[in-house]
Amino acid sequence: MTMIDVKNLKKSFGKLEVLKDITVEIKEKEVVCVIGASGSGKSTFLRCLNRLEDITDGHVIIDGQDITANDANINIIRQEVGMVFQQFNLFPHKTVIENIILAPMKARGITKDEATKTARELLAKVGLAEKADSYPGSLSGGQKQRVAIARALAMNPKVMLFDEPTSALDPEMVGDVLEVMKQLAKEGMTMVVVTHEMGFAREVSDRVLFIDEGLIAEQNVPDELFNNPQNERTQAFLSKVL
Amino acid sequence: MDVIIDALPYLWEGLKVTVYIFVIAIILGFIIGLIMALLRLSPIKILNWIAKIFIDAIRGTPILVQLFFIYFGLNALEFISLDRETAGIITVAVNAGAYFAEIIRAGIQSMDKGQTEAARSLGLTSTQNMRYIILPQAFRRMLPTFTNQAIISLKDTSLLSVIGIADLTQQGQIAIAATFKAFEIWLVVGVMYFIMIYLLSLLSSFLERRFELR
Ligand SMILES: Nc1ncnc2c1ncn2[C@@H]1O[C@H](COP(=O)(O)OP(=O)(O)OP(=O)(O)O)[C@@H](O)[C@H]1O
Ligand SMILES: [Mg+2]
């Protein structure tokens, strides 16, 4: 079953055409990694999938719902699409548990008790049960990112988007976060991950998209894409990062 | 000393009026400021313009002229009749509102965009984002600037004596008319204003510590 269906997606910032024509289908439970040079449009692509960026042209259909349609209720759609950011973006004035329960309570209308119960389970899952009442400011980067993942999961989304979730972390923190993401992938979450972690892409993803100059220049299963890239630009990019 | 004791009942009445006008005006001013700041940031052009014109008009004219405009100018219209205190409260509220609006707008705009993006990506509406994420953080940061404006507005209330409001300044004049001791009375009036302002800054630093950003 198709979970994310992107048809002829185009995105410009004023005169700058960032995404030129992207068409891709992502199946339920699929884990797709997106790689490419800086400025190639990876983040923009990801942000179009939950309409954090307004789409210039084309369609994005999430679980059968066209999020680009005029009558689409974007707030409802976003509840189904979790997002994790490079800079974590935790709410600094709220405790860890408050960060997690806010959206389930306000957007989904779940009671505080129920939301808190789920939040504690999720915190345990990301290995941070004892941090429930801490403020984000007292956490390490890796801990913040795991809280951010728990916060997104608390909405029980159908899809999770990750934009370079480990790029802002000290090297020794990266492993913990990737471990959580691997676990999530194993449980069958549909995931789109923009990453520079080629090891993660190789090991966990079902498919890798190489974005270049606003187009998907090449896509394949990770083994093929990394060991036997067909496109010259892919070869050049991989020779630089591997 | 006797002079001061004789004058105190007058000054006490005036102090009560000043505090009363200040408290109501600052609360109204804050509400006006919040509304104007949100209009100023609204994507709807016309609302934007209304807020901008309001803010520029108030910030670009002296408060005394605003007071005369509201008390004498508006009252010259047949269908409006404002008593002194109402006109005084409106003047201070509207004046503070324009400055609050700019403070709040700047505070909201200085917030990291990632906060809004995280909130919206969780499915919170833009109103919920403002209410639960942006404003609580922005207000904490703005507290010192709010206090500054509150202090200015408190001082501004002394201008209201010119339209005959019996505030602390006006009562000071009355006390002098009764006692002929200008030096002592103005000294005491000054000390009273100073104490009020000192208490305001104490309140502000208390709130700042209470809501310290973590
Ligand atoms: N809000 C914006 N306004 C104008 N230009 C933008 C905006 N956001 C991104 N761009 C431009 O779009 C292009 C693609 O940006 P994007 O952030 O998608 O790249 P990226 O592939 O994620 O790069 P990186 O690896 O550095 O994160 C860049 O040239 C960037 O400057
Ligand atoms: Mg990026």
Side-chain angles (χ1 to χ4, degrees), chain A residues 47 50 75 78 81 85 89-94 102-103 106-107 135 151 155, chain B residues 112 114-115 117-125 128 132-133 136-137 140 214:
Chain A
R47 294 157 59 84
N50 67 352
N75 296 316
R78 282 182 183 144
V81 185
F85 302 85
N89 297 344
L90 293 180
F91 308 132
H93 61 306
K94 294 190 173 292
L102 179 71
K106 301 303 174 194
Y135 281 88
R151 180 176 69 179
M155 289 300 283
Chain B
D112 175 12
Q115 292 287 302
E117 292 186 347
R120 300 305 307 275
S121 77
L122 287 163
L124 296 175
T125 63
Q128 288 171 329
Y132 300 112
I133 306 301
Q137 294 185 62
R140 282 166 209 209
R214 278 161 267 231

